[in-house]
Amino acid sequence: MKSSKVDLHVHSKYSTTPSYWMLQKIGCSESYTEPLKLYSIAMDSGMDFVTITDHDSVAGSLEIAHLRNTFVSEEITTYFPLDGCKLHVLAYGITERQHADISTLRENVFELVEYLNQEGIVHAVAHPMYSTNNLLTIKHFEQQIILFKTFELNGSQDACQNNILSRILKNLTPDAIELLANKYNLKPYGDRPWEKNLIGGSDDHSSLSIASTYTEIEGVSSVKEFLRGIAQNKAYVRGRSSDPKAMAHSLYSIAYQFYKNKFHIAHKVNKDIVLRFVDNTLSLSNNKESDLAERLVSFISCQRPKYFFNSTPKGLQGLFRESAREVIREDLRMYKLVKKREIESSAMSDVWFGFVDKVSEKMLKKFADSILKSLSNANLLDIFQVIGSVGSLYTSLALYFVGYTHFRKGLQFCSQCHDHFLEKGEDLPEEQIKIAHFTDTYNDVNGVAKTLQMQLKIAKQNNKALTMIVCDPKSEASGVVNFPPIGAFELPEYPGMKLYYPPLLKMLDYCFKQKFTHIHSATPGPVGLAALAIARILKLPLYGAYHTALPQCVSQLTNDSSMEEIMRKYVIWYYNQMDIVFTPSEATAEDFSNAGILEEKIHLYPRGIDIESFSPSNRNGFFKNKFMVSENELKLLYVGRVSKEKDLQLLVEVFMRLTEVRTGIHLIIAGEGPYLAEMKKALKNLPVTFTGFLHGNDLTQAYASSDVFISPSTTDTFDNIVLEAQASGLPVIVTDSGGPRENLIDGETGFIVPSGDINGLVNAVFKLTNNTALLQKMRQNARAYTKNRSFESAFLRLWDMHRTLTPNKGLHNL
């Protein structure tokens, strides 16, 4: 028995694209596909009947109404009258008179549906779980269930969304319908209103995905029979759903077709490899007379109107062409598309994604190098010029951002409907939190990296869904997802330290597919900026942790007050973008609040250490065995990065004074960094041992085998090493600036000295090294103080804070 197929949701040039706001911003608010072309594509795709469903218009349908196997339809924009929540309703097989009546009634969905039922017009609610004007709620969806008999599985939506809609409708019961009818005082339509019909349509605006989703009914041979089959629940939905890549591909194609027709540019395609590739990727037509409206990608056209990306520097188009040619020549699949279109439509969106991603990466690397080089040289004019270029580049990527936001928004409401209709329960069960933790430092030798490594370890032990997102050429570890950097910049003031440029589109796509519930940024560098962008695009709660006093560090490294102020403003701006800002100490929290970060955003977060590994039981004469340091000498220990921002020049001065009046003291420097050579030179011929970087058992034994820990730093926000030293049984000496002062008991587990006070540091060391009884008592006090500061308990408290501090925006049940 013959079956008939129809794509029941297709748009022509007469249809605006109201949800695609980015296209409107650049002057393109319409599809630009001719109705006759749509008819031809649909028939070639195996459809038996063809209709066009333009927004509030039948012009497209009327242009093909004289052709065989067609019928007139439209997509009606209607509203819930009390709050203006917008719905789209598909009406099939209508007349021009009915269209005129619909146009007068469509402002009120209740009046519209009553009319459609009275006229016997087959109709369906389009994409019923997607909010077209951000007003859709569970109450509106419940009323849809009462008002409509037929629902669309929309081809431009996520498969998950369509699956949840199907499950909800199939689980309806007479009791559920009666309950909703009474709740809203609405009368259900039909004899068995709990039995819903499903149809499918591609919702195509670009002609790239016509018939990707369609409706099939067996045993019908006319339009009248087909529409009757929908009403009798005989329809089957076939085809595939969509994803953000496919949607963005469609948006680029819409812009391409619009500008190609608007500016009548038809003489360059065959002269340029880039234009031929884009033409074959964004159009189903291989007409040699057609050409790419180069305005599509902001950089291709030299003939674009002045208002379009008018801030783009002249050299940007040349850079785009150069990068695009390189990408096409390096990719065999792309290069084949230069000559002809030989890739299936379903794979074309991936090809276009790869092209845009690779070209933008090549260009961004050059821009980022210029920005950081100019910043390093304090050349602000160059910085502003390059930032303008980057802005233009990211405007061209914005259609992808729109795509991911669009899908994320639909999935959020889908999640709410899932929980409301299918599974009751708490908003966000703790065990289903899924956190993407972005960091610029994971393998580095510093306290932040060490903390993150421990967090990941504890997360695995406690079955917490924590994923570290890094951008580092050398990072390979379980639970760490590493995106190879697209470039790097080595800081001239900090040899050996590099900033890696992250591949934003790849990271965005990964986070969307993984359905994270929270984004956490550990650092405000390039990877942290990617975290910020992704959280905003995917509408996820964004948390940030402040680990390092960056403005003070910049001041120490550059001796430039203007650079310090620039960094201060950047840090405040960055953390003001967060939903929650975790600070490691009350001092940092106070500084943030005074600087302008909203107080309600700021939360102290628990910090802990591995009290089993760091213990006095590890005292074993480590320095005698490995470095030939006498056991009779009192060992003054510093652990950390050997860099100027740690104020180690003060430690040099302190130790030189100590050795002038005191013998039997040995300074241990455990760490590496850019100040190491200078420090060695300053302390030459003094009792000092430089161990280099220590880790594992060597580090724990070094702590326990020392006598006093000292850190003159004024830039640390917390400093785990202060707790590690006390857990190992060492009294600690720190300054009164930053967070470390909050991690000891002054006079009981160590001493707090005014920052920059060399005499104060010297006197604190004398108090401990000249009083054996005091030293022993403080060793015991220090260990006792840290017994309740285990890393695991601190991490689990922090994990719970992610669940309780902000409302759930996740997709935890999908």
Side-chain angles (χ1 to χ4, degrees):
M1 182 177 292
K2 185 181 184 304
S3 64
S4 294
K5 306 171 184 177
V6 183
D7 183 346
L8 288 172
H9 198 164
V10 180
H11 301 281
S12 77
K13 68 177 182 178
Y14 296 103
S15 189
T16 59
T17 56
S19 62
Y20 303 162
W21 55 268
M22 180 54 68
L23 290 178
Q24 295 181 38
K25 281 194 170 185
I26 62 175
C28 172
S29 59
E30 300 174 343
S31 304
Y32 213 91
T33 307
E34 296 290 342
L36 287 174
K37 179 181 178 182
L38 291 178
Y39 176 83
S40 176
I41 294 172
M43 297 300 285
D44 290 344
S45 300
M47 299 297 99
D48 297 283
F49 307 111
V50 179
T51 192
I52 294 176
T53 53
D54 289 330
H55 288 282
D56 306 312
S57 171
V58 293
S61 280
L62 291 176
E63 277 201 24
I64 62 171
H66 63 286
L67 301 174
R68 65 183 182 87
N69 296 337
T70 63
F71 54 101
V72 176
S73 307
E74 72 172 304
E75 182 172 5
I76 308 161
T77 304
T78 187
Y79 303 87
F80 284 93
L82 291 180
D83 57 16
C85 176
K86 185 188 294 185
L87 289 183
H88 288 168
V89 177
L90 300 161
Y92 300 111
I94 62 175
T95 66
E96 289 184 76
R97 175 192 62 79
Q98 289 172 329
H99 164 67
D101 292 341
I102 287 169
S103 297
T104 64
L105 295 170
R106 69 182 184 87
E107 295 300 319
N108 186 317
V109 66
F110 302 106
E111 295 177 0
L112 172 67
V113 170
E114 183 179 2
Y115 173 81
L116 295 175
N117 288 332
Q118 287 176 353
E119 291 286 306
I121 296 172
V122 175
H123 60 279
V125 58
H127 41 74
M129 297 175 71
Y130 179 74
S131 178
T132 57
N133 63 347
N134 297 316
L135 295 176
L136 187 67
T137 66
I138 295 292
K139 291 183 178 180
H140 297 117
F141 183 68
E142 288 180 332
Q143 291 177 77
Q144 289 183 58
I145 291 174
I146 300 300
L147 288 171
F148 296 97
K149 178 71 172 177
T150 304
F151 289 73
E152 180 199 40
L153 300 183
N154 188 277
S156 69
Q157 302 299 319
D158 189 273
C160 178
Q161 187 172 345
N162 287 327
N163 291 337
I164 295 300
L165 174 62
S166 298
R167 287 175 57 192
I168 290 173
L169 297 178
K170 288 178 181 179
N171 279 279
L172 292 174
T173 64
D175 289 342
I177 293 296
E178 182 179 2
L179 184 66
L180 291 177
N182 292 334
K183 180 178 180 180
Y184 296 105
N185 194 27
L186 293 173
K187 183 179 179 179
Y189 178 76
D191 296 332
R192 301 173 68 83
W194 57 90
E195 294 179 354
K196 302 298 183 182
N197 309 326
L198 293 175
I199 62 168
S202 64
D203 199 0
D204 176 85
H205 282 261
S206 64
S207 78
L208 293 181
S209 58
I210 292 175
S212 60
T213 304
Y214 59 90
T215 302
E216 182 175 13
I217 301 178
E218 295 182 354
V220 298
S221 57
S222 68
V223 170
K224 186 175 181 179
E225 290 177 350
F226 188 89
L227 295 179
R228 187 186 304 123
I230 292 176
Q232 294 173 349
N233 201 15
K234 294 181 179 180
Y236 295 92
V237 178
R238 309 296 190 193
R240 64 182 187 273
S241 298
S242 187
D243 59 29
K245 291 180 182 178
M247 179 181 178
H249 184 219
S250 176
L251 295 178
Y252 281 105
S253 178
I254 291 169
Y256 158 77
Q257 294 179 61
F258 178 80
Y259 287 115
K260 177 175 65 177
N261 283 273
K262 185 172 182 178
F263 296 104
H264 308 290
I265 305 170
H267 58 279
K268 291 185 181 179
V269 168
N270 294 319
K271 300 177 182 179
D272 187 280
I273 183 176
V274 178
L275 302 186
R276 290 202 303 273
F277 166 78
V278 179
D279 190 59
N280 284 334
T281 309
L282 296 181
S283 173
L284 288 179
S285 172
N286 282 321
N287 186 349
K288 292 183 180 180
E289 295 301 318
S290 69
D291 184 73
L292 169 65
E294 300 166 82
R295 293 190 26 172
L296 164 67
V297 195
S298 88
F299 309 114
I300 303 180
S301 176
C302 298
Q303 305 182 31
R304 66 189 189 284
K306 293 181 180 179
Y307 68 85
F308 191 69
F309 294 139
N310 55 11
S311 64
T312 305
K314 293 181 179 179
L316 203 53
Q317 290 134 350
L319 179 58
F320 173 82
R321 287 177 180 273
E322 177 186 342
S323 301
R325 290 191 187 104
E326 290 177 7
V327 167
I328 293 169
R329 291 189 177 110
E330 291 168 358
D331 190 299
L332 181 60
R333 189 164 60 162
M334 291 183 193
Y335 192 72
K336 287 181 178 179
L337 274 168
V338 172
K339 296 185 177 181
K340 61 180 179 179
R341 184 187 177 98
E342 55 181 24
I343 296 177
E344 299 221 356
S345 297
S346 58
M348 198 62 72
S349 61
D350 285 330
V351 175
W352 181 252
F353 178 89
F355 172 74
V356 175
D357 178 49
K358 291 177 181 178
V359 172
S360 64
E361 286 183 359
K362 283 180 177 291
M363 297 180 69
L364 184 61
K365 179 184 183 301
K366 295 177 181 179
F367 292 148
D369 286 344
S370 297
I371 288 175
L372 291 174
K373 184 177 180 180
S374 298
L375 185 62
S376 178
N377 296 329
N379 192 337
L380 297 182
L381 292 178
D382 284 352
I383 291 174
F384 292 137
Q385 183 181 24
V386 178
I387 286 176
S389 302
V390 175
S392 296
L393 171 62
Y394 275 100
T395 300
S396 72
L397 297 180
L399 297 183
Y400 273 109
F401 304 157
V402 170
Y404 283 96
T405 299
H406 173 97
F407 273 81
R408 174 67 194 186
K409 184 170 70 171
L411 288 172
Q412 284 176 331
F413 184 69
C414 180
S415 177
Q416 296 173 26
C417 290
H418 176 280
D419 292 347
H420 182 78
F421 289 98
L422 298 177
E423 291 184 12
K424 307 295 182 182
E426 296 182 10
D427 287 342
L428 184 58
E430 185 274 340
E431 65 273 9
Q432 294 180 347
I433 292 174
K434 192 173 185 181
I435 300 175
H437 199 131
F438 286 71
T439 177
D440 291 275
T441 175
Y442 186 79
N443 292 304
D444 296 331
V445 183
N446 58 50
V448 179
K450 190 173 182 179
T451 297
L452 298 178
Q453 293 162 11
M454 283 294 296
Q455 286 181 347
L456 187 58
K457 177 182 177 181
I458 298 299
K460 290 179 184 177
Q461 293 174 355
N462 289 273
N463 296 315
K464 304 301 182 187
L466 174 65
T467 301
M468 291 289 171
I469 307 291
V470 304
C471 183
D472 188 332
K474 60 183 179 182
S475 184
E476 293 183 8
S478 176
V480 177
V481 176
N482 181 38
F483 290 87
I486 62 178
F489 183 84
E490 186 165 358
L491 299 176
E493 296 86 0
Y494 215 138
M497 179 172 285
K498 293 182 178 181
L499 292 177
Y500 294 107
Y501 312 150
L504 179 60
L505 279 184
K506 290 187 180 73
M507 287 181 164
L508 173 61
D509 186 59
Y510 174 80
C511 290
F512 175 81
K513 290 176 178 177
Q514 292 298 312
K515 297 178 180 176
F516 290 110
T517 62
H518 297 73
I519 300 291
H520 188 112
S521 173
T523 45
V527 175
L529 287 173
L532 171 58
I534 291 168
R536 290 294 173 261
I537 293 169
L538 298 182
K539 308 298 183 185
L540 289 172
L542 177 63
Y543 293 67
Y546 189 64
H547 293 281
T548 305
L550 292 175
Q552 293 91 321
C553 289
V554 168
S555 177
Q556 293 274 2
L557 291 170
T558 65
N559 292 317
D560 188 334
S561 59
S562 63
M563 294 297 293
E564 178 184 5
E565 185 60 23
I566 289 173
M567 179 57 69
R568 187 181 307 280
K569 290 181 177 179
Y570 167 71
V571 166
I572 296 304
W573 170 85
Y574 181 78
Y575 284 98
N576 251 330
Q577 310 309 306
M578 306 291 164
D579 294 299
I580 295 295
V581 179
F582 289 122
T583 60
S585 64
E586 292 181 1
T588 305
E590 184 177 354
D591 287 344
F592 265 24
S593 180
N594 292 336
I597 293 180
L598 295 177
E599 192 170 340
E600 57 267 27
K601 288 186 177 185
I602 303 172
H603 293 265
L604 286 173
Y605 70 104
R607 295 284 295 266
I609 53 169
D610 184 354
I611 58 174
E612 301 300 323
S613 296
F614 295 98
S615 168
S617 62
N618 293 315
R619 192 175 182 91
N620 63 353
F622 172 80
F623 295 108
K624 178 181 179 181
N625 298 331
K626 287 216 169 187
F627 299 97
M628 304 301 292
V629 178
S630 171
E631 282 294 285
N632 295 324
E633 292 184 290
L634 286 166
K635 298 165 189 66
L636 185 63
L637 175 68
Y638 167 82
V639 176
R641 188 165 182 84
V642 184
S643 179
K644 285 184 177 180
E645 82 272 11
K646 297 294 185 179
D647 296 286
L648 292 183
Q649 62 273 23
L650 292 179
L651 183 55
V652 169
E653 184 67 24
V654 167
F655 192 67
M656 291 175 69
R657 291 195 186 183
L658 284 170
T659 55
E660 289 175 358
V661 296
R662 176 78 155 78
T663 59
I665 296 182
H666 199 103
L667 177 62
I668 309 289
I669 304 296
E672 297 176 346
Y675 183 60
L676 185 60
E678 187 176 343
M679 192 174 189
K680 284 182 175 179
K681 183 178 180 181
L683 294 171
K684 187 178 180 180
N685 299 324
L686 293 179
V688 181
T689 296
F690 293 89
T691 68
F693 172 66
L694 299 178
H695 62 91
N697 290 335
D698 284 350
L699 178 61
T700 59
Q701 292 169 21
Y703 271 122
S705 299
S706 300
D707 297 292
V708 177
F709 178 86
I710 185 169
S711 174
S713 175
T714 60
T715 61
D716 291 313
T717 58
F718 182 83
D719 210 346
N720 266 9
I721 58 177
V722 174
L723 287 178
E724 292 171 356
Q726 291 175 92
S728 302
L730 272 65
V732 295
I733 301 172
V734 301
T735 72
D736 61 358
S737 294
R741 61 179 175 171
E742 298 174 24
N743 293 305
L744 72 152
I745 303 175
D746 189 24
E748 293 188 24
T749 68
F751 294 111
I752 300 173
V753 177
S755 59
D757 186 351
I758 295 176
N759 290 331
L761 290 169
V762 170
N763 291 335
V765 175
F766 273 139
K767 285 182 182 178
L768 289 169
T769 57
N770 291 338
N771 190 330
T772 304
L774 177 62
L775 178 62
Q776 186 59 30
K777 181 180 179 181
M778 281 197 171
R779 288 178 63 89
Q780 295 172 354
N781 291 344
R783 175 61 183 177
Y785 171 71
T786 58
K787 280 189 175 180
N788 294 322
R789 302 290 294 268
S790 75
F791 195 97
E792 182 170 10
S793 63
F795 173 78
L796 294 177
R797 290 198 302 274
L798 178 61
W799 188 268
D800 192 58
M801 290 172 76
H802 282 84
R803 179 175 63 87
T804 59
L805 286 179
T806 58
N808 169 41
K809 301 179 184 178
L811 307 175
H812 52 284
N813 284 323
L814 300 186

